[in-house]
Amino acid sequence: MAAVLSQIQQLSVTLAQAVTTSRSPETPPPPPPSAAITEPRVGTPERYAGDPDGCNPFITNCSILYALQPLTFSSEAAKVAFTINHLTGRARLWGTAEWEKQTPACASFQAFSAELRKVFRLGFSGSDAAHDLLSLQQGNRTVADFSIDFRTRARQSCWNESALRDLFLHSLADYIKDELVSHEPPSTLDGMIELAIRVDLRIQARRRERRWGTASGNPPTQHQETNSDPGAAAFAGSQAEGPEPMQLGCTSLSPKEKERRRQANLCLYCGRAGHFISRCPAKARAHQ
């Protein structure tokens, strides 16, 4: 009997130890290694020497770099220091003086940018951009090339969409304006630029075609021009018997006739091939 009691006591002790062990807190598993955060590799901005036109692009490039690499430039002091380190010439002399004296401009990148603009933009404002727009002309450039300069200055001005559209049309070369007379003017600046570029490309293609025909020694004859399209031949025959439709009071062509002439590369004034309305001999004679 005593042996049985002894075994029962040992069993009770074993069970108590097992319960105590099961209730003890488990050791948490080690946390997984954190993935290394990588920042995109971005080219550094070109050094800025103090040119007024290059001030805004330099500040914008620095802002983009700081936005893409927030860990590298985690403090305002790091941003200002990097900006000063990428100045050169007289701009570097100014930035070094600001940093050495720890002026309020060095408190943040925003404050430093504002001071940089104040010193090197030389009071440039929206009115200055508007003056540049008024003096801007297409000249001998293509419309596509001219539109880049126009858009850049337009962004810096305070003019509305309608005014910019009208000014762009006014700044185009005469040969483009002559061709745009037969088109309905778009209501937006983007639409006007797109239309002018499309017309300019067609004119340039036609000029290359004419130069190629002259260089080959086989310029198109009047007979070839009129026979290339039956409608053009009929119109040319009617012109030999009387004045041009523009002289008869028909101040505008029907949309269908306009499209036919455009597709056949015919003049929108006299209906003949070999030239556009800006160089139409019939138009020139009518206005003599």
Side-chain angles (χ1 to χ4, degrees), residues 138 169 172-183 199 203 207 246 262 267-269 276-280 283:
Q138 177 188 347
L169 177 61
L172 293 174
D174 288 341
Y175 76 94
I176 296 292
K177 294 179 185 178
D178 291 341
E179 293 299 326
L180 290 176
V181 170
S182 59
H183 294 266
V199 169
I203 293 176
R207 286 176 177 176
M246 292 291 186
R262 291 195 191 103
C267 174
L268 292 175
Y269 185 84
F276 289 100
I277 188 173
S278 58
R279 299 182 179 276
C280 178
K283 180 182 176 183

Side-chain angles (χ1 to χ4, degrees), residues 213-225:
T214 303
S216 65
N218 297 312
T221 63
Q222 180 65 29
H223 178 72
Q224 291 172 332
E225 291 175 357

Side-chain angles (χ1 to χ4, degrees), residues 10 13 33 38 50 71 91 99 116 120 124 151-152 227 262 266:
Q10 289 179 0
V13 171
T38 59
L71 297 180
W99 180 263
L116 186 67
F120 292 100
F124 188 88
R151 286 184 188 275
T152 302
N227 284 346
R262 291 195 191 103
L266 302 177

Side-chain angles (χ1 to χ4, degrees), residues 82-148:
F82 181 89
T83 305
I84 295 176
N85 192 47
H86 278 71
L87 299 177
T88 186
R90 59 178 182 171
R92 189 177 185 87
L93 294 175
W94 169 83
T96 302
E98 295 287 325
W99 180 263
E100 289 177 346
K101 295 181 179 180
Q102 283 299 299
T103 63
C106 298
S108 66
F109 174 68
Q110 183 177 2
F112 189 84
S113 301
E115 195 69 19
L116 186 67
R117 286 191 177 98
K118 184 172 70 176
V119 173
F120 292 100
R121 287 281 283 172
L122 304 177
F124 188 88
S125 63
S127 59
D128 298 313
H131 182 270
D132 289 345
L133 274 175
L134 289 172
S135 60
L136 198 62
Q137 296 292 324
Q138 177 188 347
N140 295 325
R141 295 179 290 175
T142 64
V143 175
D145 182 51
F146 168 66
S147 66
I148 295 174

Side-chain angles (χ1 to χ4, degrees), residues 16 23 39 69 83-85 111 128 160 166 188 225 241:
R23 289 179 179 177
E39 295 180 323
Q69 296 184 346
T83 305
I84 295 176
N85 192 47
D128 298 313
N160 59 37
D166 294 342
T188 63
E225 291 175 357
E241 301 174 358

Side-chain angles (χ1 to χ4, degrees), residues 20-34:
T20 303
T21 304
S22 64
R23 289 179 179 177
S24 61
E26 296 181 357
T27 304
S34 58

